[in-house]
Amino acid sequence: MEENTVNVETGNVEVAEGIEFPDTADGRLWVAGAVIIDERGNAFAQRRSATRKVFPHCWDIVGGHVEEGESMLQALAREITEETGWTLSAVVAELYRLDWDPGDGRTRREVDYLVRVDGDLADPALEVGKHTEFMWVDDSRLHLLRDTRDPGDYFITEIVQMGLEAARGLR
């Protein structure tokens, strides 16, 4: 797989050939999501705090809203650093695109990527007040991400499963 390098504020990030980032200046509310896989093929998940407005106390992947004037790649790198303390090193694959509305009438357009990061994967710096715990998930633990969500809200489980499958395909 050929890769090119894109310079963002947080450093150089390898981007796999064929990945095209959407234009986030189109007036839509964009969300960048990252499925982070460790060297054993496990995916990182973190629990949202009980005080979060959207999906309180649920398991989630790393990610968040793209800020005004920010590209998808810049948002991805920023969210990874803010939520874990790690640094984005590579965008390996695009996994999924979806539109969703948490009930506030504003549709989010989310794009999720399989990524590699640099940092101490055993010791993430969870974002205080937003996330309370973390775990590494393989296929046998995927069901733990379902929590008490409505079955219609299991898209996080599906995204992580796609990440696990994509990572296996790259080995």
Side-chain angles (χ1 to χ4, degrees), residues 24-90:
T24 56
D26 64 359
R28 296 180 180 164
L29 186 56
W30 287 92
V31 174
V35 176
I36 300 166
I37 302 289
D38 70 8
E39 67 282 348
R40 295 180 314 269
N42 297 318
F44 179 79
Q46 56 188 357
R47 188 181 294 278
R48 296 169 66 87
S49 71
T51 59
R52 298 295 296 271
K53 186 170 141 182
V54 177
F55 302 124
H57 199 62
C58 289
W59 289 102
D60 202 358
I61 60 174
V62 172
H65 292 103
V66 177
E67 296 177 355
E68 188 174 333
E70 194 174 46
S71 72
M72 180 64 74
L73 182 57
Q74 290 167 331
L76 194 62
R78 177 184 50 76
E79 288 290 346
I80 289 168
T81 300
E82 285 178 0
E83 294 186 9
T84 66
W86 301 327
T87 303
L88 177 63
S89 61

Side-chain angles (χ1 to χ4, degrees), residues 25-163:
D26 64 359
R28 296 180 180 164
L29 186 56
W30 287 92
V31 174
V35 176
I36 300 166
I37 302 289
D38 70 8
E39 67 282 348
R40 295 180 314 269
N42 297 318
F44 179 79
Q46 56 188 357
R47 188 181 294 278
R48 296 169 66 87
S49 71
T51 59
R52 298 295 296 271
K53 186 170 141 182
V54 177
F55 302 124
H57 199 62
C58 289
W59 289 102
D60 202 358
I61 60 174
V62 172
H65 292 103
V66 177
E67 296 177 355
E68 188 174 333
E70 194 174 46
S71 72
M72 180 64 74
L73 182 57
Q74 290 167 331
L76 194 62
R78 177 184 50 76
E79 288 290 346
I80 289 168
T81 300
E82 285 178 0
E83 294 186 9
T84 66
W86 301 327
T87 303
L88 177 63
S89 61
V91 181
V92 179
E94 181 179 313
L95 297 173
Y96 196 63
R97 289 186 183 220
L98 74 149
D99 291 347
W100 58 277
D101 179 342
D104 64 2
R106 295 195 65 202
T107 299
R108 277 87 169 145
R109 178 152 287 178
E110 180 169 335
V111 185
D112 300 304
Y113 301 93
L114 179 65
V115 304
R116 289 192 314 255
V117 297
D118 292 328
D120 183 356
L121 299 185
D123 190 25
L126 298 181
E127 196 170 10
V128 177
K130 292 190 176 184
H131 300 98
T132 58
E133 62 183 305
F134 73 94
M135 69 175 163
W136 289 95
V137 179
D138 62 10
D139 290 313
S140 71
R141 295 171 50 99
L142 197 57
H143 68 282
L144 297 175
L145 300 178
R146 293 192 174 167
D147 288 320
T148 58
R149 294 183 189 207
D150 179 281
D153 290 335
Y154 285 169
F155 65 89
I156 291 299
T157 305
E158 294 164 6
I159 293 165
V160 171
Q161 184 174 21
M162 287 179 217

